[in-house]
Amino acid sequence: MQSVYDAVGGDDGLRRLAHAWHERVLADEVVSHAFSHGFHPEHTERLAAYWIEALGGPAAYTDAYGTESSVVRMHSGNGPHEEMDRRAIACFDQALTDIGLTENDRLRSVLYDYFAWATTVSMTQYTGSASDVPAGLSIPRWSWDGLVTD
């Protein structure tokens, strides 16, 4: 069985999805606040690399940019933000449509479930302080059956 990474179109498919999501969140009045102080000029490329690795592709993020610990630290220490999370997930759902992912319900559902989990569980574990994030975390992998546990 092909990976989620392959089913979405590999590197190119996930770059398109990252670009579509980023455009959506910048236009959203609530989620755009997270980017109001600026963002890395390669944000979309880095996001795509992260998703490539998380969804069964090569270690695109850890080979070039950092670890799960560094990603979680970037998203930590801001307190709870449930409304922003809900809106970010809605933007992701819209981005799936933007890239033409409307016919494959299973793939769309798996991608949606991954993003919702990553947004509401993985990235929100350390709302108090980024310094609470432990070193050495690995990027969680997601398959057709959900979170891959070793």
Side-chain angles (χ1 to χ4, degrees), residues 85-106:
D85 293 345
R86 280 191 294 276
R87 299 280 288 258
I89 293 165
C91 287
F92 186 82
D93 191 48
Q94 293 168 330
L96 291 170
T97 299
D98 293 344
I99 67 164
L101 193 54
T102 56
E103 300 298 317
N104 188 333
D105 290 339
R106 183 164 185 230

Side-chain angles (χ1 to χ4, degrees), residues 118-138:
T119 301
T120 62
V121 177
S122 185
M123 295 297 156
T124 61
Q125 297 177 70
Y126 305 95
T127 57
S129 173
S131 64
D132 293 338
V133 178
L137 296 176
S138 299

Side-chain angles (χ1 to χ4, degrees), residues 51-84:
W51 289 346
I52 287 166
E53 190 164 341
L55 295 170
Y61 191 87
T62 55
D63 285 352
Y65 303 115
T67 65
E68 176 71 359
S69 295
S70 63
V71 173
V72 174
R73 281 186 194 110
M74 282 187 277
H75 293 87
S76 297
N78 301 309
H81 39 73
E82 289 89 5
E83 177 62 17
M84 185 180 291

Side-chain angles (χ1 to χ4, degrees), residues 11 17 34 43 48 55 69 77 79 90 94 99 110 112 131 135 147 150:
D11 289 10
L17 182 56
H43 177 264
L55 295 170
S69 295
Q94 293 168 330
I99 67 164
V110 166
Y112 180 92
S131 64
L147 182 63
D150 295 326

